[in-house]
Amino acid sequence: MQLAFRWYGETDPVPVRHIAQIPGVRTVVASLYDVPPGVAWDREQVLAVKAAIEEVGLTFDIVESVPVHEDIKLGRDTRDDLFATYCRDLTLLGEVGVSVVAYNFIPLYDWLRTDLALELPDGSTALAYDESELPPEIDPWAEGWPAYPPRVEPIDDLRRAYRDMDKATLREHLVTFLEAIVPTAEAAGVRLAIHPDDPPWSVFGIPRVATDRDDLSFLLDAVPSPANGLTLCVGSLGASPTNDVVAMAAEFHDRTHFVHARNVAHVGPRHFHEVAHPPEYGDVDLVAVLGALHERGWSGFVRPDHGRMIWGEQGKPGYGLYDRALGASFLNGVWHGLDARP
């Protein structure tokens, strides 16, 4: 296991030098967060990120994410040019030493929560989702909702386009995208790692294609190259009680290039909140997930995912330093324990 930690660049409230102080962390997960989807990445900007990370003794092995333009997901005529741009980015990243590129194929927005600071009994706060707070008439892109809008065209136009699309068509567009970029990823020495949908079900009637075991199996089989792989986000998949994340870790270990490790507690149907990383705090057994990977000789990247806000810390919701550092130490300890077993 190679322990990683996400950093949002020079504007991140968590300085990269503090990440370097976490025992066991060897690599930083970063991106060019201000570059819109479909715009080619600049080599000097990428090298600046790499230099900042290496200056504190860490390595820059993982990009999360190179965002996928909505026209690719919608299968529009502009997608061939967008494929070419994406391939140029993959080639560039391979040249500077990045070995894993995480991405998602979630229509319109990234992860969605209804509360960014749910207070837990111990006084810490965590990200939470309650479907009952999202009746159809609510606009998820209204001010105050923790959604991630695209930066390409009016929201209403995009929503209409997606509501006319079924899951099979969105799947087809994902496979077309992979067929176009995987040969370049192979040549660049870059492994692609799709992130599951978060939450792992349709929201606002818009299809999603990376929600469960069958979805992941389909996309891996459709493009069987080792460069076409997974970000096994334990918390995203684990938000649905029907997903057996330990079994997925075992089944897909050889195509899992990156693991996001976090824990969630199920409150009710499509209602969950995030908790501390150890299994006893929620409904995801991270020890069993790591055990399934370790047993099969897996040696990929793991990062502690969304953490609570603890000890009065203020910062980017889910991405404070303290609880994620505790999570990193927990993951490191579990892996050392697995290594020490007879």
Side-chain angles (χ1 to χ4, degrees), residues 115-131:
D115 194 337
L116 297 182
L118 174 71
E119 185 168 346
L120 303 179
D122 64 2
S124 63
T125 63
L127 304 173
Y129 180 93
D130 182 355
E131 186 94 322

Side-chain angles (χ1 to χ4, degrees), residues 98-157:
V98 170
S99 61
V100 173
V101 170
Y103 70 99
N104 73 64
F105 214 74
I106 307 173
L108 288 181
Y109 46 84
D110 203 324
W111 54 271
L112 177 65
R113 297 292 185 270
T114 57
D115 194 337
L116 297 182
L118 174 71
E119 185 168 346
L120 303 179
D122 64 2
S124 63
T125 63
L127 304 173
Y129 180 93
D130 182 355
E131 186 94 322
S132 69
E133 296 184 16
L134 294 175
E137 65 272 14
I138 284 184
D139 179 357
W141 296 276
E143 184 178 355
W145 280 97
Y148 286 74
R151 293 166 283 188
V152 284
E153 68 181 85
I155 290 295
D156 287 342
D157 293 348

Side-chain angles (χ1 to χ4, degrees), residues 216-227:
L216 301 182
S217 179
F218 171 85
L219 72 93
L220 294 176
D221 290 345
V223 183
S225 167

Side-chain angles (χ1 to χ4, degrees), residues 66-87:
V66 178
V68 180
H69 196 283
E70 299 302 320
D71 283 4
I72 292 175
K73 301 171 195 175
L74 289 164
R76 290 172 169 170
D77 292 341
T78 55
R79 65 183 178 180
D80 286 347
D81 288 340
L82 293 167
F83 292 160
T85 299
Y86 209 97
C87 287

Side-chain angles (χ1 to χ4, degrees), residues 1-194:
M1 180 187 80
Q2 301 174 74
L3 196 58
F5 205 89
R6 191 168 192 177
W7 181 52
Y8 280 91
E10 299 297 343
T11 62
D12 194 325
V14 179
V16 70
R17 67 181 182 277
H18 290 178
I19 296 173
Q21 297 169 10
I22 304 170
V25 172
R26 63 166 294 270
T27 191
V28 168
V29 182
S31 185
L32 298 186
Y33 298 103
D34 59 344
V35 178
V39 176
W41 284 22
D42 177 75
R43 178 181 292 271
E44 294 308 312
Q45 286 184 283
V46 174
L47 290 175
V49 172
K50 179 181 173 73
I53 292 168
E54 291 181 344
E55 185 178 4
V56 298
L58 300 173
T59 61
F60 181 33
D61 296 291
I62 310 167
V63 162
E64 185 181 348
S65 301
V66 178
V68 180
H69 196 283
E70 299 302 320
D71 283 4
I72 292 175
K73 301 171 195 175
L74 289 164
R76 290 172 169 170
D77 292 341
T78 55
R79 65 183 178 180
D80 286 347
D81 288 340
L82 293 167
F83 292 160
T85 299
Y86 209 97
C87 287
R88 286 196 294 274
D89 291 343
L90 294 177
T91 299
L92 166 61
L93 293 172
E95 289 172 351
V96 303
V98 170
S99 61
V100 173
V101 170
Y103 70 99
N104 73 64
F105 214 74
I106 307 173
L108 288 181
Y109 46 84
D110 203 324
W111 54 271
L112 177 65
R113 297 292 185 270
T114 57
D115 194 337
L116 297 182
L118 174 71
E119 185 168 346
L120 303 179
D122 64 2
S124 63
T125 63
L127 304 173
Y129 180 93
D130 182 355
E131 186 94 322
S132 69
E133 296 184 16
L134 294 175
E137 65 272 14
I138 284 184
D139 179 357
W141 296 276
E143 184 178 355
W145 280 97
Y148 286 74
R151 293 166 283 188
V152 284
E153 68 181 85
I155 290 295
D156 287 342
D157 293 348
L158 285 167
R159 282 195 292 185
R160 279 191 292 269
Y162 279 116
R163 284 173 176 163
D164 290 337
M165 181 188 295
D166 59 17
K167 180 172 181 173
T169 303
L170 185 60
R171 262 187 173 182
E172 177 186 325
H173 295 167
L174 172 56
V175 171
T176 300
F177 170 62
L178 289 171
E179 290 174 340
I181 68 168
V182 162
T184 298
E186 291 173 338
V190 170
R191 292 167 292 169
L192 299 163
I194 191 170

Side-chain angles (χ1 to χ4, degrees), residues 294 334-342:
H294 187 278
V334 169
W335 200 262
H336 279 299
L338 293 168
D339 280 342
R341 288 190 309 183

Side-chain angles (χ1 to χ4, degrees), residues 263-334:
N263 197 353
V264 297
H266 301 141
V267 180
R270 297 192 173 185
H271 183 186
F272 63 88
H273 63 79
E274 299 179 5
V275 292
H277 288 77
E280 61 267 28
Y281 291 95
D283 294 296
V284 175
D285 190 344
L286 284 174
V287 175
V289 171
L290 293 179
L293 294 169
H294 187 278
E295 182 179 343
R296 290 158 179 81
W298 186 83
S299 59
F301 296 102
V302 178
R303 73 167 174 85
D305 205 2
H306 302 165
R308 302 165 299 145
M309 285 297 184
I310 62 174
W311 304 336
E313 184 177 19
Q314 301 293 315
K316 184 177 177 63
Y319 287 96
L321 173 63
Y322 304 149
D323 198 40
R324 285 189 298 151
L326 291 177
S329 294
F330 167 75
L331 297 171
N332 210 25
V334 169

